[in-house]
PDB file of all heavy atoms in Angstrom:
ATOM      1  N   PHE A 118       3.125  -1.063 -11.716  1.00 96.00           N
ATOM      2  CA  PHE A 118       3.743  -1.625 -10.517  1.00 96.00           C
ATOM      3  C   PHE A 118       3.004  -2.912 -10.128  1.00 96.00           C
ATOM      4  O   PHE A 118       1.874  -3.156 -10.551  1.00 96.00           O
ATOM      5  CB  PHE A 118       3.778  -0.595  -9.377  1.00 96.00           C
ATOM      6  CG  PHE A 118       2.440  -0.072  -8.905  1.00 96.00           C
ATOM      7  CD1 PHE A 118       1.765  -0.668  -7.848  1.00 96.00           C
ATOM      8  CD2 PHE A 118       1.875   1.049  -9.535  1.00 96.00           C
ATOM      9  CE1 PHE A 118       0.560  -0.177  -7.392  1.00 96.00           C
ATOM     10  CE2 PHE A 118       0.675   1.572  -9.067  1.00 96.00           C
ATOM     11  CZ  PHE A 118       0.004   0.947  -8.036  1.00 96.00           C
ATOM     12  N   PRO A 119       3.669  -3.741  -9.328  1.00 95.00           N
ATOM     13  CA  PRO A 119       3.116  -5.062  -8.985  1.00 95.00           C
ATOM     14  C   PRO A 119       1.848  -4.928  -8.118  1.00 95.00           C
ATOM     15  O   PRO A 119       1.886  -4.368  -7.026  1.00 95.00           O
ATOM     16  CB  PRO A 119       4.227  -5.748  -8.227  1.00 95.00           C
ATOM     17  CG  PRO A 119       5.449  -4.975  -8.524  1.00 95.00           C
ATOM     18  CD  PRO A 119       5.028  -3.566  -8.806  1.00 95.00           C
ATOM     19  N   ILE A 120       0.748  -5.462  -8.633  1.00 97.00           N
ATOM     20  CA  ILE A 120      -0.525  -5.456  -7.914  1.00 97.00           C
ATOM     21  C   ILE A 120      -1.047  -6.884  -7.879  1.00 97.00           C
ATOM     22  O   ILE A 120      -1.154  -7.528  -8.924  1.00 97.00           O
ATOM     23  CB  ILE A 120      -1.564  -4.514  -8.566  1.00 97.00           C
ATOM     24  CG1 ILE A 120      -1.022  -3.092  -8.691  1.00 97.00           C
ATOM     25  CG2 ILE A 120      -2.861  -4.527  -7.782  1.00 97.00           C
ATOM     26  CD1 ILE A 120      -1.896  -2.120  -9.465  1.00 97.00           C
ATOM     27  N   TYR A 121      -1.362  -7.372  -6.704  1.00 97.00           N
ATOM     28  CA  TYR A 121      -1.790  -8.754  -6.535  1.00 97.00           C
ATOM     29  C   TYR A 121      -3.121  -8.807  -5.821  1.00 97.00           C
ATOM     30  O   TYR A 121      -3.527  -7.908  -5.101  1.00 97.00           O
ATOM     31  CB  TYR A 121      -0.720  -9.521  -5.725  1.00 97.00           C
ATOM     32  CG  TYR A 121       0.668  -9.400  -6.275  1.00 97.00           C
ATOM     33  CD1 TYR A 121       1.639  -8.621  -5.668  1.00 97.00           C
ATOM     34  CD2 TYR A 121       1.018  -9.995  -7.489  1.00 97.00           C
ATOM     35  CE1 TYR A 121       2.920  -8.514  -6.176  1.00 97.00           C
ATOM     36  CE2 TYR A 121       2.259  -9.849  -8.040  1.00 97.00           C
ATOM     37  CZ  TYR A 121       3.216  -9.110  -7.370  1.00 97.00           C
ATOM     38  OH  TYR A 121       4.468  -8.975  -7.918  1.00 97.00           O
ATOM     39  N   ALA A 122      -3.770  -9.949  -5.999  1.00 96.00           N
ATOM     40  CA  ALA A 122      -5.082 -10.170  -5.359  1.00 96.00           C
ATOM     41  C   ALA A 122      -4.870 -10.682  -3.946  1.00 96.00           C
ATOM     42  O   ALA A 122      -3.954 -11.438  -3.668  1.00 96.00           O
ATOM     43  CB  ALA A 122      -5.878 -11.188  -6.158  1.00 96.00           C
ATOM     44  N   ASP A 123      -5.752 -10.283  -3.054  1.00 97.00           N
ATOM     45  CA  ASP A 123      -5.794 -10.770  -1.676  1.00 97.00           C
ATOM     46  C   ASP A 123      -7.251 -11.184  -1.357  1.00 97.00           C
ATOM     47  O   ASP A 123      -7.892 -10.629  -0.483  1.00 97.00           O
ATOM     48  CB  ASP A 123      -5.294  -9.727  -0.688  1.00 97.00           C
ATOM     49  CG  ASP A 123      -5.210 -10.270   0.746  1.00 97.00           C
ATOM     50  OD1 ASP A 123      -5.163 -11.491   0.933  1.00 97.00           O
ATOM     51  OD2 ASP A 123      -5.234  -9.436   1.674  1.00 97.00           O
ATOM     52  N   LYS A 124      -7.744 -12.130  -2.164  1.00 96.00           N
ATOM     53  CA  LYS A 124      -9.125 -12.630  -1.997  1.00 96.00           C
ATOM     54  C   LYS A 124      -9.270 -13.199  -0.589  1.00 96.00           C
ATOM     55  O   LYS A 124      -8.416 -13.934  -0.097  1.00 96.00           O
ATOM     56  CB  LYS A 124      -9.400 -13.698  -3.036  1.00 96.00           C
ATOM     57  CG  LYS A 124     -10.829 -14.160  -3.086  1.00 96.00           C
ATOM     58  CD  LYS A 124     -11.698 -13.033  -3.658  1.00 96.00           C
ATOM     59  CE  LYS A 124     -13.130 -13.512  -3.849  1.00 96.00           C
ATOM     60  NZ  LYS A 124     -14.025 -12.378  -4.022  1.00 96.00           N
ATOM     61  N   GLY A 125     -10.334 -12.775   0.041  1.00 96.00           N
ATOM     62  CA  GLY A 125     -10.612 -13.258   1.416  1.00 96.00           C
ATOM     63  C   GLY A 125      -9.838 -12.508   2.491  1.00 96.00           C
ATOM     64  O   GLY A 125      -9.899 -12.869   3.661  1.00 96.00           O
ATOM     65  N   LYS A 126      -9.103 -11.490   2.100  1.00 97.00           N
ATOM     66  CA  LYS A 126      -8.343 -10.629   3.032  1.00 97.00           C
ATOM     67  C   LYS A 126      -7.342 -11.460   3.858  1.00 97.00           C
ATOM     68  O   LYS A 126      -7.070 -11.150   4.985  1.00 97.00           O
ATOM     69  CB  LYS A 126      -9.245  -9.843   3.964  1.00 97.00           C
ATOM     70  CG  LYS A 126     -10.261  -8.999   3.287  1.00 97.00           C
ATOM     71  CD  LYS A 126     -11.131  -8.302   4.318  1.00 97.00           C
ATOM     72  CE  LYS A 126     -12.368  -7.704   3.707  1.00 97.00           C
ATOM     73  NZ  LYS A 126     -13.287  -7.147   4.689  1.00 97.00           N
TER      74      LYS A 126
END
Side-chain angles (χ1 to χ4, degrees):
F118 60 94
I120 304 174
Y121 308 108
D123 184 22
K124 188 70 175 164
K126 304 178 194 174

